[in-house]
Structure formats: C-alpha cells, structure tokens
Amino acid sequence: MAMDPALVRLGNMIQNRYKYFRWTRRTAGITFMYVVVVPGIIGYLGYKTDGLWDLRAKRRGDIISER
C-alpha cells in the first residue's frame, strides 16, 4: 500500500513546525489572548462568583443563591 504524498507532507510539516514558526502580529495576538485574556476572564468570573452559590447539601425546594 503506497503512502499518500499529501499525508507524508502533512506529517513532516507537523514534526518540523517549530523550525518555521515566526512571530507575527497575528500569532502574538493569539498568544496574548490565551496567556493573558482567557485566564483573566476566568479568574475574574471566579472571583466575582466566589461564595455566591453553595451547592453542597441542597435539597429540593432550597434556593441556590446565598445572597
């Protein structure tokens, strides 16, 4: 069974991606989003909702919100 040349090229490209990577405006923006913005949003939401809900030992009819 012969190897598909397109799949061979794709495999080589994936293995050697680090050799051809360049910092461009686009890659810097994407990196900034995943390193700073996304954790910042998750941290902010976690901080704002800390202690807002107590999901432990709730029964039917009890309210979730504690405030």
Side-chain angles (χ1 to χ4, degrees):
M1 186 171 190
M3 294 290 293
D4 184 7
L7 290 176
V8 172
R9 275 197 346 252
L10 177 66
N12 289 334
M13 182 187 71
I14 290 172
Q15 285 179 347
N16 297 318
R17 184 173 299 182
Y18 70 95
K19 295 178 185 176
Y20 303 107
F21 178 80
R22 291 186 182 182
W23 283 105
T24 62
R25 186 175 188 89
R26 180 177 184 269
T27 57
I30 292 171
T31 302
F32 180 77
M33 291 291 288
Y34 281 113
V35 171
V36 176
V37 175
V38 172
I41 291 171
I42 293 172
Y44 175 76
L45 291 174
Y47 177 76
K48 291 305 275 185
T49 60
D50 185 33
L52 187 60
W53 296 295
D54 185 18
L55 300 177
R56 182 176 255 185
K58 292 292 182 185
R59 296 186 181 142
R60 189 178 354 191
D62 290 347
I63 59 172
I64 294 176
S65 179
E66 293 294 323
R67 292 184 188 175

